[in-house]
Amino acid sequence: MRKKTFIMTSAAALFLIAVTGTVWGMTVSITSSSKCRASIQDSEIPYVAYSSHMPESPKSAPTAKLYADKTQFQSKETMVLHLKNESSSPLMFGEPYTIEVQQDGKWAPYPLTLAFVSIGIVMDSGGVHDQTIPLHKLKNGHYRISKEVNAKDSDIQTVPFEFDIIN
């Protein structure tokens, strides 16, 4: 048996598991906050996971909106971030998020050490998921927080929300 190794985002791995209904002998290891490595033995590859055997299907981005109740916060506050599924199909996502800061008109990763529970969340069409975001490590500035979402027959979409820290 030949072993195949695939590199995919965590959201893609969750999507594969959700579509097939099982792990199908995959060994998944997280190598960073947004990438994972999946290894599968040839005899264990399910039809749906082996893309060269799949018929072409149109790729359309899921429609999701990331927002909060306001756009200006103090660093002592906690933001309640809302992710709304505005598509006609379920969205899959996890707890991870990224924060960037705007510097000289460009976005740069904000240096934070974050740890996330590795769970997959499936949200039906029209659903809203709330997540609390502590802001105590952020200084004054303009920020962007982003989450990755995925829907059946779609590419992974990064959904952003911009906000300001004013102390």
Side-chain angles (χ1 to χ4, degrees), residues 114-135:
L114 301 171
F116 299 100
V117 175
S118 183
I119 61 169
I121 301 167
V122 178
M123 180 172 46
D124 289 329
S125 178
V128 177
H129 175 78
D130 295 335
Q131 183 173 359
T132 57
I133 311 294
L135 304 173

Side-chain angles (χ1 to χ4, degrees), residues 6-18:
F6 304 92
I7 303 293
M8 63 183 85
T9 65
S10 300
L14 288 173
F15 179 71
L16 179 62
I17 292 166

Side-chain angles (χ1 to χ4, degrees), residues 16-146:
L16 179 62
I17 292 166
V19 169
T20 62
T22 184
V23 179
W24 287 93
M26 291 179 101
T27 303
V28 179
S29 61
I30 304 299
T31 57
S32 75
S33 63
S34 64
K35 298 278 184 199
C36 67
R37 179 178 303 275
S39 299
I40 306 172
Q41 298 295 329
D42 271 347
S43 66
E44 299 170 340
I45 298 174
Y47 178 77
V48 71
Y50 200 51
S51 61
S52 64
H53 296 295
M54 291 177 64
E56 286 295 316
S57 61
K59 301 287 183 194
S60 61
T63 305
K65 180 180 178 183
L66 196 60
Y67 62 98
D69 295 329
K70 57 185 182 176
T71 58
Q72 293 185 338
F73 298 87
Q74 292 185 341
S75 60
K76 65 183 177 185
E77 293 182 84
T78 298
M79 175 194 303
V80 178
L81 193 63
H82 312 288
L83 177 64
K84 182 173 183 178
N85 182 355
E86 296 181 335
S87 74
S88 59
S89 62
L91 287 182
M92 288 161 278
F93 57 95
E95 290 292 317
Y97 58 85
T98 58
I99 295 182
E100 298 168 291
V101 62
Q102 195 172 51
Q103 297 173 336
D104 301 323
K106 296 181 182 177
W107 291 107
Y110 192 76
L112 290 173
T113 302
L114 301 171
F116 299 100
V117 175
S118 183
I119 61 169
I121 301 167
V122 178
M123 180 172 46
D124 289 329
S125 178
V128 177
H129 175 78
D130 295 335
Q131 183 173 359
T132 57
I133 311 294
L135 304 173
H136 64 278
K137 294 183 179 181
L138 303 181
K139 299 175 182 171
N140 285 353
H142 187 66
Y143 293 87
R144 177 169 68 185
I145 187 167
S146 300

